[in-house]
Amino acid sequence: MFTRRHMLMMTGATALLPMLPSAVLAQQMKQIRLFVPAAPGGGWDQTARTMEQVLRGANLIGSAQVTNVGGAGGTVGLPQFINQWKGQGDGLMVSGLVMMGAIIANKTPFNLTNVTAIARLTGEAEVIVVPKESPLKTMKDLVAALKADVAKVTWAGGSAGGTDHIIAALVAQAVGADPTKISYVAYAGGGPAQAALLGNQVTCGISGLGEFIEQIKAGNLRAIGISSDKRIPGLDIPTFKEQGVDVEFFNWRGVFAPPGVSAQQKKDMIDLVTAMVKSQGWQDELKKRDWTDIFLAGDAFDAFIKTETDRVTDTLKKIGLA
């Protein structure tokens, strides 16, 4: 299973990678265009806009533009990025485990080997939340509901086959419910899923902690469990495991250049992202958003994509999603 320990074991040492002077990078990267294959408000969108903010603040770029193309876990936007952005060295797509799962579950003709792997950036625990009016107070209450009738528990999350869907199925499986019968409602992004929760249209929701944290802190959503191996400091959210649900899971996000870029363009983009990750602004954002730094660049990230694809495929098959 995808755990924080697995992520950290495969993380490249950021400090060992070269960093070009900011002035040189700023000259090389006068502009960057960030492609987000999801609707605004979700984890990929947050990552892209955080990157834009940090890159500007560190004077690593002159200008930036964010483009959102949502749908089906990124599999709507991916072909556009492949075909329309081919060879464009100023483009970066934000993606991750969610897209990998959606590609496999939907049997799409394109996958992440069709783009240019630049860097894995962050890992994040997933959290299950319920509306503040919900009678479900803890994971034990959710488990009881799943055991009573798994189909009556409705889940709001991201795309079918993505990280959220996988965890919902794993939770059901872990407590003895049929994971193939869960009532999972897939939304195009974190914003629509959050709206469904706030409108009491679903039983519970699942997503990256960063997508729900503001509503959790405001008291509009109640977090009943988190998928990490231990509690997040400063947040009173018990883990799945400490509540008797043997599931531990970590999501990851990274960036990819289009296919057809030159070796120099790929190197320039890796240098740019490396400099961003080393910046104080990025480190501050990691702490602020409870993102774990699992930076891995270039060929090492490309190798990770290949092994991760095999692992996700195996997991999806086991829970009936592939």
Side-chain angles (χ1 to χ4, degrees):
M1 191 40 55
F2 325 103
T3 69
R4 184 170 66 177
R5 287 187 291 275
H6 287 135
M7 291 292 105
L8 295 178
M9 285 171 63
M10 291 181 284
T11 300
T14 303
L16 297 179
L17 294 171
M19 181 177 73
L20 295 180
S22 296
V24 175
L25 283 170
Q27 184 178 7
Q28 291 176 337
M29 290 292 173
K30 294 181 180 179
Q31 137 176 309
I32 187 170
R33 294 181 300 141
L34 295 162
F35 184 85
V36 181
W44 294 344
D45 187 63
Q46 289 179 10
T47 300
R49 296 182 190 280
T50 301
M51 288 180 65
E52 177 187 12
Q53 173 188 327
V54 172
L55 288 166
R56 284 179 182 273
N59 294 318
L60 296 173
I61 59 170
S63 63
Q65 177 184 338
V66 179
T67 300
N68 292 81
V69 179
T75 58
V76 172
L78 179 60
Q80 292 188 32
F81 187 70
I82 290 171
N83 295 320
Q84 298 175 18
W85 293 51
K86 184 177 181 179
Q88 299 181 31
D90 64 345
L92 272 183
M93 178 181 72
V94 179
S95 184
L97 181 56
V98 170
M99 179 181 282
M100 186 174 285
I103 288 168
I104 296 166
N106 297 324
K107 298 178 174 61
T108 60
F110 298 102
N111 59 56
L112 290 176
T113 65
N114 298 128
V115 290
T116 305
I118 297 298
R120 190 181 65 193
L121 295 175
T122 62
E124 183 181 26
E126 295 254 325
V127 65
I128 294 177
V129 299
V130 295
K132 63 180 180 181
E133 299 88 355
S134 172
L136 304 181
K137 305 297 182 183
T138 66
M139 280 289 289
K140 290 183 179 180
D141 295 334
L142 177 61
V143 168
L146 288 170
K147 287 182 175 180
D149 191 340
V150 65
K152 283 189 177 180
V153 178
T154 52
W155 300 74
S159 62
T163 313
D164 305 339
H165 197 173
I166 291 172
I167 296 179
L170 287 174
V171 167
Q173 183 182 57
V175 303
D178 187 345
T180 66
K181 293 182 179 179
I182 62 172
S183 296
Y184 185 81
V185 185
Y187 290 89
Q194 187 169 274
L197 282 159
L198 295 174
N200 292 293
Q201 299 170 18
V202 290
T203 307
C204 60
I206 183 164
S207 190
L209 177 60
E211 296 192 33
F212 289 143
I213 190 63
E214 294 304 321
Q215 294 296 339
I216 292 172
K217 289 181 177 179
N220 297 319
L221 295 175
R222 180 166 58 251
I224 61 173
I226 194 164
S227 68
S228 52
D229 58 333
K230 58 185 178 182
R231 294 195 185 199
I232 304 297
L235 295 175
D236 187 25
I237 306 175
T239 68
F240 296 169
K241 281 193 169 183
E242 70 180 90
Q243 298 180 86
V245 179
D246 190 17
V247 173
E248 181 187 331
F249 200 101
F250 234 60
N251 189 13
W252 61 264
R253 299 187 183 108
V255 287
F256 301 79
V261 296
S262 69
Q264 185 61 51
Q265 287 173 323
K266 178 181 177 180
K267 180 181 182 302
D268 290 346
M269 196 62 82
I270 291 173
D271 287 340
L272 176 71
V273 175
T274 301
M276 180 197 75
V277 169
K278 284 174 169 283
S279 72
Q280 187 60 51
W282 183 255
Q283 295 303 314
D284 290 344
E285 288 294 331
L286 292 177
K287 293 177 182 178
K288 173 184 173 183
R289 298 175 181 276
D290 292 309
W291 291 345
T292 299
D293 185 351
I294 54 171
F295 183 70
L296 190 69
D299 292 343
F301 180 44
D302 189 54
F304 167 78
I305 291 298
K306 292 178 173 63
T307 58
E308 187 76 335
T309 298
D310 292 340
R311 187 161 57 171
V312 174
T313 300
D314 182 60
T315 298
L316 288 173
K317 286 180 177 178
K318 287 179 178 178
I319 58 178
L321 296 179

